[in-house]
């Protein structure tokens, strides 16, 4: 299996609900360095997994929806804890939609899986992997 | 599948037995930067894979058993080569025990797999992955 | 000249005032991975720049004042933009105070300079360096 | 499952054919930082996945075939786009051959899989994984 | 003193003249991950070293002049070895010009120094530092 | 000023004397990832700070003296604490000697300064810088 990974980042604020979060129940924030990995069984006729330029552009567009925002103000997330692992799943969904809509090119429909990993610091990161 | 990874480290001495090890048959040492990755099919009701605070605390406790030690002096390892890959397996076992004992919280029993990766330098690392 | 560097991090929310900040005028956040570098002309009798255990403990205490907070709510920062470069200077001040108060040990008074570097992402970081 | 990873690099020139490559159709170049990961179900009697010294030596020999070359001049690649993902597959093939030829030691024949990952920058990398 | 650092990259081909270069006398290539560090004695009224958005944009423009090129084809470099250390100096010159031309904003004229560091692999990098 | 940096590593055991070291008074170990930075005011006629091949070779030879050793067994270090900062100074001395002896080429005598940085983990490192 082949994979291609591109990296970008977003800087967000949020707060969590639930005693398990301790002081993180208050408003704080994070830089998420985001790695998106595209999977494919065979390369296309250009020897590509996916057009890396389109991949980087679409990832940047997806993250722009959240970058420099307070996630507590995003209606879709009301009543949800926007943990690192949850946000990995959110970015996965946005990227999967973009692929289905053809925003990564027609060939991207041959992709079989996707991994989104968010690094929240030098000592912690979370990932969501799923099929396409 | 969701994963969460936490990082810590330990600094140990050891020696190896067997001609294949060449000069590493003498007493030398290593810093192991340790990444433990917890796997889970679905997030819990707080949108977590595992309580990251407990995960970091338990990993630190597990590594404290070996940190700043000469592994040649640990009875459990007598007659065993404490290679990087072997120590990944040892840390895996300790973390799996901690999960079963409830030290990472009741919800951690929903974890389905674990990966332990030890970085021994900027050019070498080893990993053990297994189900829980 | 000798230096010793220790690393820790903090996760904060904040907003900026001024058109130059564009969308960063809204509440957002950052993970700051913080490197503090201690400078000294000669090592002490133990061959140390500073007690690394104390250095890590004091840095953690200094960052705990800000970690998991919204910096907009910190009275000391009212009317100030808590940019990465500014926060590097703030951490510098706290660490310099700690050194003067003897919290890094009596020998730490031989330190001659300090650098605080905050990494805000994989593509941006800021630093303050000054004498002690 | 156990894995061991070793890292090395190569610095190459090449050009691509196809409009999708835009300005990369001209001669340009890349540093590929190469991670090769060896997989094995059980450790050998020395507690090793593979002899790390042999692994590093063979990887260096494999990369020497391409390092400091213009890949456009390599007959084997005529008419092929030497993308990062393609070169990951090429290095995989060379390493798999070396394992079969016994160049990583007799025990290396117990290896069950191999991953080759090429980092082309701080924001992009590609990987090929296959069984042995 | 305060500094701010931004990172980008370029992927180039080139060849060297002189026996000291050995096989690097042939056409090969490199990814240069480029860190530009801006120095300033005091922050401006917005608590900035320099507008990080402008800094990243101008760096990207400067590198675009070389990115995806064969440096052997750049007239300015004829008869010069475009080593990593030389290219650090070239990028320094371009960035210093941009600052003088006001492309990083009027306030950037308060900058006192600049460092350009090019990482050519995980084991080698070169830097040029000069006053402004 | 120009600099060039090369990286290598060594894996050593040692123990410390003095209550300040706590549990590190016992035999333990470290991987030191070593960065050596060569400084020079002007490039040579080949546009080099120093021959990078020679620099890497000599650094490897210098580290081979300590790699895979127990530093407690090195006569030169008897009665000395081989802390990270001390070992940075030791490597500095060996590299400076090599430069004076011409092992980095005749041109290396134009070098004006040297920095040796030892990374002992992902959260700690130490450095010695001096003129040549």
């Amino acid at each position: 299996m082949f994979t291609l990974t591109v990296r970008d980042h977003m800087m967000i604020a949020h707060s969590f609900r639930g005693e398990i979060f301790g002081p993180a129940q208050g408003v704080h924030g994070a830089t998420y360095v985001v790695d998106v990995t595209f999977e494919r069984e065979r390369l296309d006729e250009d020897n590509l997994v996916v057009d890396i330029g389109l991949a980087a552009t679409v990832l940047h567009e997806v993250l722009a929806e959240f970058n420099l925002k307070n996630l507590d103000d995003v209606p879709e997330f009301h009543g949800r804890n926007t943990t690192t692992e949850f946000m990995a799943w959110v970015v996965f969904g946005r990227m999967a939609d973009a692929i289905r809509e053809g925003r990564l090119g027609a060939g991207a429909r041959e992709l079989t899986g996707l991994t989104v990993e968010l690094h929240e610091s030098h000592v912690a990161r979370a990932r969501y992997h799923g099929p396409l």
Side-chain angles (χ1 to χ4, degrees), chain A:
Chain A
M1 190 184 66
F2 289 92
T3 69
L4 180 82
T5 303
V6 294
R7 173 171 286 193
D8 204 330
H9 74 291
M10 56 176 165
M11 304 179 82
I12 56 88
H14 57 177
S15 62
F16 297 140
R17 288 203 289 186
E19 281 186 23
I20 197 174
F21 294 103
Q25 291 175 88
V27 175
H28 62 287
T31 305
Y32 289 130
V33 175
V34 182
D35 287 324
V36 178
T37 298
F38 304 90
E39 300 174 4
R40 192 173 169 142
E41 289 307 314
R42 296 164 188 277
L43 299 181
D44 70 13
E45 66 275 18
D46 294 310
N47 273 350
L48 294 174
V49 167
V50 70
D51 181 330
I52 191 172
L54 283 179
T57 299
V58 169
L59 175 57
H60 198 73
E61 290 167 358
V62 163
L63 300 184
E65 185 183 346
F66 309 117
N67 190 27
L68 299 177
K69 298 277 173 61
N70 183 347
L71 299 181
D72 295 351
D73 297 337
V74 176
E76 174 183 354
F77 300 148
H78 280 179
R80 309 294 307 264
N81 283 316
T82 54
T83 58
T84 308
E85 41 270 63
F86 174 77
M87 291 306 297
W89 176 81
V90 168
V91 174
F92 176 94
R94 298 296 203 273
M95 292 299 300
D97 286 349
I99 290 165
R100 277 189 289 268
E101 293 161 7
R103 291 164 61 196
L104 279 95
R109 292 199 182 90
E110 304 293 321
L111 294 169
T112 54
L114 202 61
T115 302
V116 177
E117 185 160 37
L118 271 62
H119 302 253
E120 70 173 59
S121 75
H122 65 305
V123 291
R125 53 197 159 94
R127 198 160 65 205
Y128 180 72
H129 172 266
L132 287 175

